Amino acid sequence: MRKDISLDLSKAAGFVGDEAIKRYADKTAECNAALHNGSGKGSDFLGWLNLPKEITEGQLSEIEESASVLRESCEAVVVIGIGGSYLGAKAVIEALSSSFDWLVRERKSPVVLYAGQNIGEDYIYELQELLKGRKFGIISISKSGTTTEPALAFRLLKTQLEEQQGVEEARRLIVCVTDKRRGALRTLATQEGYKTFVIEDNVGGRYSVLTPVGLLPIAVAGFDIRALVEGAARMQERCADGVTYEDNMAAQYAAVRNALYASGKKTEILVNFHPKLHYVSEWWKQLYGESEGKEHKGIFPASVDFTTDLHSMGQWIQEGERTIFETVISVEKMRHEVRIPANEANLDGLNFLSGRRVDEVNKMAELGTMLAHVDGGVPNIKITMPELDEYCLGELIYFFEKACGISGYLLGINPFDQPGVEAYKKNMFALLGKPGYEKETEEIKKRL
Ligand code: PA5
């Protein structure tokens, strides 16, 4: 039997008291039920709820087959996408890869690179330079199929691939993940005859990591998507409708973070002690930021990588404004073992550590930091992952998704839309003079 991820609220609950938590805890069952019976806000976007248990053998095999084509033919695969269309894949791939993946010479898997997640001209130039003369493939991901950043990157990289490999071979090395019918990417894929995967209408971008959006790039990188889905399915059971509050870690996390928010803790900092988890935090920030930041409400999701950031943000967290709480992702078991050697001269004074593992030092830094921050007035929620593997990451992903749905309903907002994201796009199109935006162009120019 696998050991599951777990939640410890003992260093957070005292900051708000049992009564305050109970007020939210009592509502979590209702919120969880609303997710499952579709009676809450945004009920058109609840397809993610059952993804782990509904995904079929056929769907998994199709993803693995498509990944094999890219794995066998490419040195590098560029995942093109932004927001929910790349962050989940990147989070899992970085968490499971060697920290020095770039420098590994004898690779078993293609290097996974990313594009379309920014519009930096130097970034795309440097990527194109790197890909010159190399055999590469493209996974182009856009649910709407109309997002500017990935569309621009796809135009550039598709052209380069066709020039380098010829149109026919490029066609074999391009896979698109998009809407079943709508959008420019669907039209293009149909016209060109690319292999495609569908993002169902009822799954929003930031809840899509357990669809081909996340699973295909993760499989290309050589990781076990079946174990990832198995972990997520386990968490689906653990947080299902009807599971009591005492047994439902998603409900507990949602209740406590809302109680903390109501008490004035406006910022939640997701903390890790392993740099490989950096992009898990980026994925989490998007999930919670885009889901909850509405109607002038919502916890601000921030993140730090410790112990690195203890030497920068550590001061602020220890003694700055007391409006924060921390959620720490703690990993129990390391994949590798490194022991500290003895040294005769002992000039660095570290002989008291000789023979002990580096992870023991890290764990004591983690414990010491938690106690110091709690003493400094920072509530601390702890999530323990037994290992950093596919199964535990699957559990973690579904846990955060489910908690986000419940938490959004506790807050009274729609956790499944993102109306605020449109504002910058409208201005950008007006400033660029996009056809159809003439009136907006005229208006925005007056403001300059
Ligand atoms: O969560 C979301 O819905 C967004 O972050 C989208 O994933 C992001 O804007 C990309 O959209 P699309 O996949 O339509 O290109």
Side-chain angles (χ1 to χ4, degrees):
M1 184 85 175
R2 300 248 358 191
K3 209 169 154 201
D4 294 311
I5 71 167
S6 58
L7 182 71
D8 179 358
L9 299 166
S10 62
K11 300 290 185 296
F15 283 86
V16 275
D18 293 345
E19 265 314 300
I21 295 173
K22 193 170 180 309
R23 273 200 292 280
Y24 289 95
D26 286 347
K27 290 187 203 146
T28 55
E30 202 184 298
C31 297
N32 201 3
L35 288 171
H36 285 272
N37 65 31
S39 61
K41 293 180 181 172
S43 58
D44 288 350
F45 289 96
L46 295 170
W48 58 273
L49 272 173
N50 297 316
L51 279 175
K53 283 189 174 279
E54 279 179 356
I55 193 160
T56 63
E57 170 58 36
Q59 287 167 327
L60 287 168
S61 302
E62 192 185 348
I63 293 169
E64 285 166 342
E65 275 163 32
S66 196
S68 295
V69 173
L70 295 174
R71 283 170 61 78
E72 280 157 22
S73 318
C74 304
E75 271 178 83
V77 172
V78 187
V79 174
I80 298 179
I82 194 165
S85 288
Y86 95 104
L87 280 166
K90 184 153 180 162
V92 173
I93 293 170
E94 300 259 317
L96 296 172
S97 297
S98 155
S99 307
F100 307 100
D101 192 51
W102 286 90
L103 299 173
V104 175
R105 283 202 195 89
E106 285 173 21
R107 312 186 55 84
K108 290 197 198 103
S109 307
V111 180
V112 177
L113 304 166
Y114 301 88
Q117 83 283 34
N118 62 57
I119 330 176
E121 188 161 343
D122 283 354
Y123 182 93
I124 193 77
Y125 174 88
E126 285 156 15
L127 177 62
Q128 289 197 287
E129 281 297 300
L130 180 82
L131 294 171
K132 271 188 190 157
R134 290 181 200 269
K135 188 105 191 244
F136 73 96
I138 297 173
I139 303 175
S140 187
I141 307 172
S142 177
K143 182 176 180 199
S144 63
T146 55
T147 309
T148 308
E149 291 91 335
L152 205 57
F154 188 41
R155 177 184 280 222
L156 287 159
L157 294 173
K158 171 182 179 296
T159 307
Q160 182 173 356
L161 184 58
E162 287 174 347
E163 281 168 8
Q164 283 182 206
Q165 299 289 331
V167 174
E168 269 316 304
E169 181 63 351
R171 199 164 275 151
R172 200 176 70 81
L173 300 177
I174 293 175
V175 182
C176 297
V177 188
T178 189
D179 186 89
K180 209 179 290 171
R181 293 172 287 273
R182 290 179 297 262
L185 187 58
R186 169 57 60 189
T187 312
L188 189 68
T190 308
Q191 251 170 37
E192 299 277 2
Y194 297 143
K195 168 78 187 157
T196 60
F197 288 92
V198 168
I199 314 172
E200 295 297 340
D201 287 347
N202 61 1
V203 181
R206 59 192 175 274
Y207 292 84
S208 69
V209 51
L210 298 168
T211 72
V213 169
L215 298 179
L216 179 61
I218 294 166
V220 166
F223 299 113
D224 183 354
I225 56 171
R226 286 166 194 266
L228 187 82
V229 169
E230 194 192 332
R234 168 82 182 124
M235 188 55 76
Q236 186 180 331
E237 275 167 21
R238 294 178 66 200
C239 304
D241 184 22
V243 174
T244 58
Y245 178 79
E246 288 67 31
D247 291 322
N248 188 334
M249 63 185 271
Q252 292 169 14
Y253 176 57
V256 170
R257 64 195 294 282
N258 273 282
L260 288 166
Y261 178 57
S263 79
K265 304 293 185 193
K266 304 289 187 195
T267 299
E268 178 176 8
I269 306 177
L270 193 71
V271 177
N272 68 69
F273 282 78
H274 299 280
K276 287 179 186 200
L277 288 172
H278 179 84
Y279 268 90
V280 168
S281 299
E282 296 303 309
W283 169 81
W284 172 87
K285 283 194 283 193
Q286 192 224 356
L287 179 63
Y288 279 79
E290 216 168 68
S291 297
E292 292 196 316
K294 282 159 207 172
E295 302 175 24
H296 297 170
K297 296 194 272 191
I299 296 171
F300 182 78
S303 67
V304 287
D305 301 328
F306 285 167
T307 60
T308 311
D309 292 333
L310 283 172
H311 298 259
S312 61
M313 296 303 290
Q315 173 60 37
W316 199 100
I317 294 170
Q318 189 69 48
E319 295 182 348
E321 199 181 355
R322 300 297 73 187
T323 49
I324 55 171
F325 65 99
E326 288 180 313
T327 297
V328 179
I329 301 180
S330 178
V331 182
E332 258 176 355
K333 193 168 153 238
M334 291 298 95
R335 230 172 279 158
H336 308 288
E337 189 177 308
V338 178
R339 288 194 184 269
I340 299 158
N343 181 285
E344 211 178 313
N346 194 27
L347 292 177
D348 54 13
L350 291 179
N351 268 355
F352 75 103
L353 293 174
S354 69
R356 290 156 81 176
R357 288 184 61 179
V358 171
D359 191 50
E360 188 185 339
V361 182
N362 202 25
K363 289 279 190 317
M364 291 310 112
E366 185 180 319
L367 189 56
T369 303
M370 185 268 283
L371 294 170
H373 288 181
V374 168
D375 289 347
V378 181
N380 186 288
I381 295 172
K382 182 174 167 182
I383 297 163
T384 300
M385 296 179 80
E387 285 180 58
L388 199 46
D389 62 6
E390 288 92 335
Y391 180 89
C392 291
L393 283 166
E395 277 202 307
L396 188 76
I397 286 167
Y398 193 88
F399 158 72
F400 275 139
E401 288 181 347
K402 189 64 176 285
C404 191
I406 297 174
S407 185
Y409 281 174
L410 287 174
L411 191 64
I413 50 84
N414 176 357
F416 306 112
D417 65 358
Q418 54 283 328
V421 179
E422 296 311 310
Y424 97 90
K425 294 185 191 168
K426 198 177 113 213
N427 286 348
M428 179 177 73
F429 291 143
L431 290 163
L432 286 167
K434 183 174 177 173
Y437 283 75
E438 292 75 10
K439 196 163 149 277
E440 287 85 351
T441 302
E442 201 181 306
E443 276 165 16
I444 206 162
K445 279 192 173 159
K446 286 187 204 146
R447 291 175 58 193
L448 301 177

